[in-house]
Amino acid sequence: FYIGNEEDAAEKIDPAALGLLEEEYEKFKDVDSRSLLKKYLTQEIFDSVKRRVTSKGATLHDCIKSGLANPDSHIGLYAPDAESYSMFHELFDPVIDEYHGGFGPDDSHPATDFGDPSHLGDLNELGNYVLSTRVRCARSVEGFPFNPLLTSDQYAELEQDVGYTLGTLEDDLAGNYRSLDEIGPEEQEELLQKHLLFKQGDRFLEAAGASRFWPEGRGIFLNENSTLVVWVNEEDHLRIISMQEGGNMGEVYDRFVRAVTALGEKLPFSSSGHLGFLSFCPTNLGTAIRASVHIRLPLLGSDRQKLEDTAAKYNLQVRGTSGEHSEAEDYVFDISNRRRLGISEIEALQEMYDGVMEIIRLERSLEEGGTESRKGPSQ
Ligand code: ADP
Ligand code: DAR
């Protein structure tokens, strides 16, 4: 499955760069971190891969520098290009295996299977718990490295190619693409508050070298009613997002499938038989899908650890109201599928749908539990 030829790469690294990498690794040994980088970058693996360089120039340091700078990382590593997943597979393999709940180096990601969106109903059938529903995926365009290795010209070329293709979307998918520097600060803040625009200044991405030339090459596509959103060159080349108020997962997923399919017919998305669709972060490989709800859980959410443990039972991940690395506001949580690799698109959606329904049933049972149940704030 591996792309790179590790043996040939052994002598490529610049001696000064190797010295810096070895110094930083020595210091990292004394850093207290619970990241998967800390867990899996053993001295043995470090020594076996430290001299390697991919054909586009990525080194081990490029992969791990975000986790070295941010000990509170959950993962701590990114792939500066597609080749890094094979060139440094001794480190990526165990991280991928643990994050995606068991996906080994000899496993193959299944073929794309979006299933039938009409088989997914409305998550609010038991009551209006879900405020809004979102399905997104990451996509990378063949021929371009990932953020840390993109040149200024490549950012411009990628933005032009993707922007042109977005302009061909039809009917309810049709809309407009704008570069970030074409959107004033007030409108950017408004779009951010509506959770339509990506957050800026993410320290994990900045430390990974993913914010160079900012805001060059970055932008956002919105269809007429802002239910289809595409982010260009934020964390990945594309983030394709379908979202709307309420809990109608069937409608959100149907729009998502039509948009991803239409764009995939015109853009060559990077993928491999082993890892599926390739992304900058190893958490977004395979289907690269994150299906989420904004859901208000004043009872179950009053004990975050209990909520996290309950979500984990259904392979769900809990984020705050503004997504990753944010806190919940008024008990509104972002709950989504955790697994994206080794399962099909429809399996990821079904796993999330079923898990959210269980969470809702649990919240309802706490409500019906009367006085003995924890009462959240009477909002
Ligand atoms: P990702 O793009 O990987 O999903 P984040 O966790 O940063 O990354 O989420 C991006 C944005 O999407 C955040 O503003 C978050 O609040 C928003 N978001 C996620 N799920 C929903 C949802 N179901 N409804 C509305 N906004 C959402
Ligand atoms: N913040 C980094 C990445 C975690 C996954 N989220 C992404 N890729 N947006 C971490 O290691 O915690």
Side-chain angles (χ1 to χ4, degrees):
F1 286 123
Y2 295 117
I3 307 165
N5 182 338
E6 291 78 354
E7 288 65 40
D8 292 352
E11 300 312 314
K12 279 186 182 173
I13 192 166
D14 163 60
L18 178 57
L20 174 66
L21 172 59
E22 287 173 326
E23 269 177 45
E24 292 214 23
Y25 182 62
E26 280 310 306
K27 282 188 280 185
F28 187 58
K29 286 177 181 173
D30 298 330
V31 168
D32 179 22
S33 170
R34 290 185 293 170
S35 68
L36 296 184
L37 170 68
K38 180 75 179 179
K39 181 174 180 180
Y40 290 111
L41 187 55
T42 62
Q43 186 70 53
E44 180 187 5
I45 287 177
F46 178 79
D47 290 336
S48 66
V49 304
K50 65 186 180 181
R51 290 183 174 80
R52 296 179 192 166
V53 184
T54 70
S55 57
K56 291 190 168 57
T59 65
L60 175 65
H61 189 250
D62 293 321
C63 297
I64 68 174
K65 59 190 179 182
S66 181
L68 297 178
N70 297 286
D72 60 334
S73 296
H74 304 146
I75 314 300
L77 66 158
Y78 296 91
D81 57 9
E83 190 181 341
S84 291
Y85 283 114
S86 51
M87 185 64 75
F88 305 104
H89 69 85
E90 292 91 334
L91 174 57
F92 278 104
D93 286 348
V95 168
I96 287 166
D97 187 26
E98 176 163 336
Y99 177 83
H100 292 282
F103 187 85
D106 298 326
D107 289 335
S108 297
H109 180 70
T112 298
D113 178 5
F114 289 116
D116 181 349
S118 67
H119 289 174
L120 293 169
D122 192 317
L123 288 156
N124 277 335
E125 63 186 41
L126 298 176
N128 286 332
Y129 293 87
V130 173
L131 306 177
S132 53
T133 302
R134 176 180 189 260
V135 179
R136 69 81 167 149
C137 71
R139 286 293 185 273
S140 303
V141 178
E142 277 182 0
F144 292 90
F146 301 156
N147 259 317
L149 297 182
L150 284 172
T151 64
S152 176
D153 288 347
Q154 284 176 318
Y155 270 113
E157 183 185 352
L158 194 48
E159 183 185 31
Q160 186 174 20
D161 291 354
V162 174
Y164 174 79
T165 305
L166 288 166
T168 67
L169 290 172
E170 299 174 336
D171 306 323
D172 64 319
L173 304 182
N176 293 301
Y177 173 79
R178 285 184 293 170
S179 295
L180 201 54
D181 57 13
E182 293 176 304
I183 305 172
E186 297 78 20
E187 187 182 359
Q188 284 194 32
E189 182 57 29
E190 183 190 334
L191 290 170
L192 189 68
Q193 290 306 319
K194 290 178 179 174
H195 302 290
L196 293 170
L197 182 61
F198 43 81
K199 297 184 281 277
Q200 298 176 52
D202 181 300
R203 60 187 161 94
F204 302 93
L205 292 176
E206 287 182 343
S211 306
R212 294 151 53 251
F213 307 117
W214 194 277
E216 280 181 40
R218 282 78 173 196
I220 179 173
F221 167 92
L222 293 164
N223 69 343
E224 284 306 301
N225 58 3
S226 298
T227 53
L228 177 66
V229 185
V230 180
W231 297 344
V232 178
N233 290 327
E234 180 240 0
E235 174 171 338
D236 288 292
H237 296 164
L238 288 88
R239 287 291 179 89
I240 304 164
I241 305 161
S242 172
M243 60 193 286
Q244 67 189 50
E245 291 184 0
N248 194 325
M249 177 59 89
E251 272 186 21
V252 172
Y253 184 49
D254 173 70
R255 182 188 306 117
F256 168 82
V257 172
R258 288 186 289 113
V260 175
T261 304
L263 294 171
E265 287 168 353
K266 298 182 176 175
L267 289 168
F269 291 147
S270 299
S271 66
S272 80
H274 173 42
L275 294 174
F277 289 107
L278 301 175
S279 56
F280 180 40
C281 178
T283 64
N284 287 315
L285 293 163
T287 63
I289 273 187
R290 185 168 94 88
S292 59
V293 290
H294 268 181
I295 185 169
R296 191 164 182 278
L297 300 167
L299 300 178
L300 190 56
S302 61
D303 179 342
R304 182 64 183 260
Q305 192 51 54
K306 178 179 177 183
L307 175 58
E308 296 272 2
D309 294 345
T310 306
K313 273 187 354 187
Y314 304 110
N315 288 320
L316 297 179
Q317 184 184 39
V318 180
R319 300 185 183 189
T321 312
S322 294
E324 194 173 33
H325 305 120
S326 75
E327 295 305 319
E329 297 152 22
D330 188 25
Y331 294 91
V332 175
F333 296 91
D334 163 340
I335 295 186
S336 60
N337 60 296
R338 179 184 170 84
R339 298 198 304 164
R340 317 195 208 293
L341 171 66
I343 56 177
S344 70
E345 286 73 8
I346 189 60
E347 286 170 335
L349 262 286
Q350 196 65 60
E351 183 168 72
M352 177 270 186
Y353 192 96
D354 295 344
V356 167
M357 288 309 292
E358 285 304 311
I359 293 269
I360 290 173
R361 287 188 188 96
L362 193 50
E363 181 73 9
R364 278 167 59 92
S365 68
L366 291 173
E367 284 169 355
E368 290 153 8
T371 53
E372 67 275 13
S373 69
R374 282 178 201 261
K375 280 295 180 202
S378 52
Q379 297 293 331

